[in-house]
Amino acid sequence: MATKLDYYAVLEISRDANSDEVKKAYRRLAMQYHPDRNPGDASAEARFKEISEAYDILKDDQKRAAYDRFGHAAFEGGGPGAGGFDFGGGLGDIFEQMFGDMMGGRRGGRRSGSDIQVQVSISFTEAFAGVRKPITVPTRVTCESCDGTGSADRDQGAETCPTCHGAGKVRAQQGFFLVERVCPTCHGAGKVVRNPCTVCRGAGTVERDRTLEVAIPAGVEDGTRIRLSGEGEAGGKGAQPGDLYVHIAVEPHPIFQRDGANIYCRVPLRMTQAALGTEIEVPVVDGSRAKVKVPAGTQTGENFRLRGKGFSVLRSSARGDMYIQVSVETPQHLTRRQRELLDEFEAEAEDHARANPESTGFFSKVRDFFEGKL
Ligand SMILES: [Zn+2]
Ligand SMILES: [Zn+2]
């Protein structure tokens, strides 16, 4: 077995990082190196395994303590490091966070911080290849000045509200009715701060613009929502943060259309090309070119399939196809000579039924119609 890296180095954290920092580092790195976001990249996959393994040890207080004392030796011979590391749990965990909504996953317990919704617009080709986008989120974060307590005197913290005695609501008689309303003293919090923090005015949180990078996976569709768990607003006074929802809008492309994982590209052909047959060069979304053989007698609406040139399917190695949809363009503004040639061409036609079966068939039905047969 190759020399193992230090778990703290793997997660890019200091040895005294708290459990929250461990979790945050894991989440950030695991998203970055997740195999689904780095298809075919063996080094990213190896890194992902390292990250998952390091997290499995460092998130567990007992295992972490053992690792701090004995290093990797703590887990050799029967430990989790020996018998093929199981990182399946980490994988599921991350996907639940990222795609929880797309997959119809459950929502975790109640949180105090609000969820934040942001919209990110990406190009058609970015949706094809996947992209990392920086987004700026106006968010409330825990006030550093008071450590989220809302109190200028941290040790004192908040006291039970004297008006509602912690209920957050007060009752008042209004005519015949007993009306319950939000406590005017504590605004529903149930607690008041005697000496409020001057930075956050007792709220425990402050508003700040935060920039974070969202990794948008290849194959993402217009209207997809990605949930980043815990990246929403901080909850007041040490409560759980909300989630961040990133709504993806994919801009339309001037020459490509999408239907599921398949891509369609409408290619106009000159009448002569369609009649005589030709080879055309067509664009592929990844920026490359492909050649398509168009046989003689090709009609408008015929499709030519380029296998595997479509979008990748999320969470799978499957790929859609690309379809070249041909439309035959009738020439306009003919020169005198072209007109002569086409007149000659028309006069040359011997068997219309053979050369143009569709129009011949149609007009014979029209004849039948007028004769009362149809
Ligand atoms: Zn109150
Ligand atoms: Zn404060």
Side-chain angles (χ1 to χ4, degrees), residues 143 146 197 200:
C143 173
C146 63
C197 163
C200 64

Side-chain angles (χ1 to χ4, degrees), residues 142-152 196-206:
T142 303
C143 173
E144 281 171 15
S145 173
C146 63
D147 215 13
T149 60
S151 170
C197 163
T198 51
V199 177
C200 64
R201 293 197 200 86
T205 58
V206 286

Side-chain angles (χ1 to χ4, degrees), residues 299 349-362 364 367:
Q299 305 294 340
E350 288 168 353
D351 186 350
H352 280 295
R354 207 169 127 73
N356 300 87
E358 202 180 330
S359 53
T360 309
F362 175 77
S364 93
R367 206 165 43 240

Side-chain angles (χ1 to χ4, degrees), residues 121-130 219-220 249-259 262-264 285 311:
S121 199
I122 61 172
S123 73
F124 193 88
T125 46
E126 285 173 334
F128 175 80
V220 74
V250 181
E251 290 156 11
H253 196 275
I255 55 175
F256 300 114
Q257 286 86 43
R258 176 176 186 178
D259 182 18
N262 293 332
I263 296 172
Y264 293 85
V285 195
F311 275 84

Side-chain angles (χ1 to χ4, degrees), residues 161 163-164 183 186:
C161 171
T163 309
C164 63
C183 170
C186 65

Side-chain angles (χ1 to χ4, degrees), residues 193-269:
V193 172
R194 286 233 183 276
N195 185 13
C197 163
T198 51
V199 177
C200 64
R201 293 197 200 86
T205 58
V206 286
E207 188 154 320
R208 197 168 296 158
D209 266 359
R210 198 161 53 102
T211 302
L212 68 165
E213 205 175 47
V214 184
I216 299 168
V220 74
E221 285 192 63
D222 185 49
T224 300
R225 191 167 75 156
I226 295 177
R227 187 174 116 223
L228 299 173
S229 180
E231 299 287 1
E233 288 194 346
K237 300 181 177 74
Q240 286 255 355
D243 295 337
L244 172 64
Y245 289 95
V246 182
H247 297 255
I248 313 284
V250 181
E251 290 156 11
H253 196 275
I255 55 175
F256 300 114
Q257 286 86 43
R258 176 176 186 178
D259 182 18
N262 293 332
I263 296 172
Y264 293 85
C265 179
R266 190 170 163 276
V267 177
L269 283 184

